[in-house]
């Protein structure tokens, strides 16, 4: 049973890294100039919305990303150290 947990943790870490890199490399807009919001990130990476939301919350909790603007029209940015 322990292996399953490890696999899930690794996959989550991979997704977290991928989402972080996507935000870092694209800023507030995706490559097609669409706003880079949670829904768009989920769609681009083919990850369920709920998973994407949870990972983004975790990145925010870690202080790695910050929300700029409103919930509806805002976007995520890498937090400057």
């Amino acid at each position: 049973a322990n292996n399953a947990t490890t696999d899930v943790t690794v996959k989550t870490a991979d997704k977290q890294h991928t989402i972080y890199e996507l935000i870092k490399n694209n800023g507030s807009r995706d490559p097609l100039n669409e706003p880079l919001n949670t829904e768009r990130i989920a769609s681009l990476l083919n990850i369920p919305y709920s998973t994407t939301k949870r990972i983004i919350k975790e990145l925010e909790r870690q202080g790695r990303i910050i929300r700029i603007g409103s919930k509806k029209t805002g976007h995520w940015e890498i937090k400057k150290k």
Side-chain angles (χ1 to χ4, degrees):
N2 199 11
N3 276 354
T5 309
T6 308
D7 288 351
V8 170
T9 307
V10 168
K11 286 191 178 105
T12 301
D14 287 348
K15 286 178 185 157
Q16 196 177 80
H17 178 75
T18 304
I19 289 171
Y20 180 83
E21 288 299 313
L22 184 70
I23 293 168
K24 186 171 115 181
N25 295 331
N26 293 289
S28 63
R29 301 248 161 206
D30 78 1
L32 298 173
N33 206 31
E34 294 287 323
L36 198 56
N37 56 27
T38 307
E39 201 173 321
R40 188 72 186 132
I41 292 169
S43 162
L44 280 171
L45 301 178
N46 203 20
I47 303 173
Y49 177 80
S50 56
T51 304
T52 306
K53 194 171 175 178
R54 188 180 73 243
I55 292 171
I56 285 174
K57 263 198 163 111
E58 180 57 24
L59 284 168
E60 192 178 22
R61 191 189 66 74
Q62 292 170 5
R64 295 176 67 196
I65 63 173
I66 188 166
R67 182 75 185 172
I68 306 293
S70 73
K71 192 171 183 174
K72 189 175 164 91
T73 61
H75 64 273
W76 298 101
E77 282 184 11
I78 299 303
K79 195 166 181 180
K80 311 274 186 281
K81 288 191 166 82

